Amino acid sequence: MRTDAGNLQQRVPERLGQEEIDRLSSSFNGMLERLALSFEAEREAKEQMRRFTADASHELRTPLTSIHGFLEVLLRGASVKPEQLQSALSSMYGESVRMKKLIEDLLTLAKMDRAPELYLSRIRLDALVLEMEPQLRMLSGPRSVAFDLTAGITGEFDQDKLKQVILNLFQNAVQHTNPVHGRIRVSLTSTEDEILLAVNDNGPGIPEEHLPHIFERFYRIDVARARKQGGAGLGLAISASMVEAHGGKITVATKAGEGTTFQVHLPLQQS
């Protein structure tokens, strides 16, 4: 038998007819199994970090390349032409805003990965959503927005993180609905076991092949649309991390041509 870090699949026989040897063989095989799982988890973590670093570098390189190009144009003399100067400055400002948002999102994910800090306080969730209503309606533009909130649902939550989750899910709905005919609905209910906060839209829905990946970092269904609106594919990943830190989860239900519902499941706390 040859066992090393590159070969942890072999096992010793566990039934040799001697009780002590059999127990030792079983323990040894159990140790090999745990080592194999540990090495596999380490390999997966390294691969995830490699992909994350590559994706983050790519996302940062895009606005930096754009800013660099506009600066070259200005240095060639466009700075003395007011219309070109204004256009270049506006574009560079937009790219810098996008880069700042990306860096903030990356820092948020790093904090959530390391040790999520929750500043808990007793919150009435319907009041929290209603407090955000003016901001959400402004983001929605001409889209129709409805709120269906059960009053009096309370719990110990991190107010700022829940607001960010709601904002991320709402912005996602805005990005994937028609500006004129779009309809977005925010609802809040509870069952015997959990609190359900949902954001529903009447967009095109999510193709089935994308569903296993939508909470992955930097994953975007429509790359062109996301880039146009400054998204880097981190909003859903951040939301999922924040909800999981509260002991909950986010699920998605979608149907082609009829829309998508993201539902936040939070544990119901006994008062």
Side-chain angles (χ1 to χ4, degrees):
M1 176 179 177
R2 182 177 179 277
T3 299
D4 55 35
N7 179 22
L8 294 171
Q9 302 308 314
Q10 295 187 36
R11 298 291 183 267
V12 298
E14 295 185 9
R15 298 186 180 278
L16 299 175
Q18 298 185 39
E19 184 178 352
E20 291 184 356
I21 298 298
D22 290 349
R23 285 204 301 266
L24 181 61
S25 298
S26 178
S27 298
F28 185 75
N29 286 339
M31 180 189 69
L32 289 177
E33 183 68 26
R34 290 190 295 273
L35 282 172
L37 291 173
S38 177
F39 276 108
E40 181 61 28
E42 183 181 4
R43 279 193 292 268
E44 289 182 2
K46 286 182 177 178
E47 177 60 20
Q48 288 178 351
M49 180 58 68
R50 185 197 65 77
R51 291 198 305 267
F52 182 78
T53 302
D55 289 339
S57 299
H58 176 74
E59 292 295 333
L60 287 168
R61 183 176 58 193
T62 302
L64 282 173
T65 299
S66 179
I67 291 173
H68 181 78
F70 283 117
L71 287 172
E72 283 187 336
V73 171
L74 292 176
L75 288 172
R76 290 195 199 109
S79 58
V80 298
K81 301 175 182 177
E83 67 284 355
Q84 291 186 358
L85 175 61
Q86 183 61 38
S87 175
L89 290 176
S90 297
S91 297
M92 284 191 292
Y93 176 76
E95 293 295 341
S96 68
V97 169
R98 176 183 166 192
M99 190 162 53
K100 179 175 179 289
K101 175 67 165 58
L102 173 58
I103 292 171
E104 289 173 347
D105 286 348
L106 289 171
L107 289 173
T108 297
L109 280 170
K111 289 178 182 177
M112 298 302 296
D113 285 345
R114 185 174 65 250
E117 280 189 55
L118 298 180
Y119 299 95
L120 302 177
S121 60
R122 179 150 290 275
I123 297 170
R124 181 169 157 172
L125 290 178
D126 59 312
L128 178 73
V129 177
L130 290 174
E131 182 181 328
M132 298 180 67
E133 181 178 355
Q135 180 185 8
L136 298 180
R137 289 194 181 278
M138 181 180 68
L139 286 171
S140 68
R143 297 168 183 81
S144 170
V145 180
F147 294 87
D148 182 9
L149 310 174
T150 301
I153 298 176
T154 62
E156 295 283 334
F157 303 110
D158 186 311
Q159 177 173 290
D160 290 338
K161 286 184 172 55
L162 280 190
K163 280 186 174 182
Q164 186 165 356
V165 169
I166 295 168
L167 183 61
N168 287 347
L169 295 179
F170 194 88
Q171 286 179 322
N172 186 73
V174 169
Q175 287 179 9
H176 293 91
T177 49
N178 183 280
V180 177
H181 305 293
R183 295 193 307 274
I184 303 173
R185 179 172 172 266
V186 181
S187 63
L188 174 66
T189 59
S190 65
T191 67
E192 293 181 356
D193 304 312
E194 60 184 0
I195 299 167
L196 302 173
L197 176 64
V199 178
N200 166 266
D201 66 61
N202 68 334
I206 301 172
E208 186 175 353
E209 65 269 22
H210 294 291
L211 289 176
H213 308 289
I214 56 174
F215 293 107
E216 293 178 5
R217 297 169 185 187
F218 294 107
Y219 190 83
R220 290 175 293 203
I221 297 172
D222 187 337
V223 176
R225 176 184 294 163
R227 286 200 182 280
K228 182 179 178 182
Q229 299 191 10
L234 293 175
L236 291 178
I238 290 173
S239 298
S241 294
M242 289 181 171
V243 172
E244 287 168 6
H246 282 86
K249 63 180 180 179
I250 302 180
T251 59
V252 57
T254 185
K255 192 169 183 180
E258 296 186 12
T260 301
T261 300
F262 283 92
Q263 193 164 60
V264 177
H265 303 251
L266 293 168
L268 187 63
Q269 303 162 8
Q270 300 298 326
S271 54

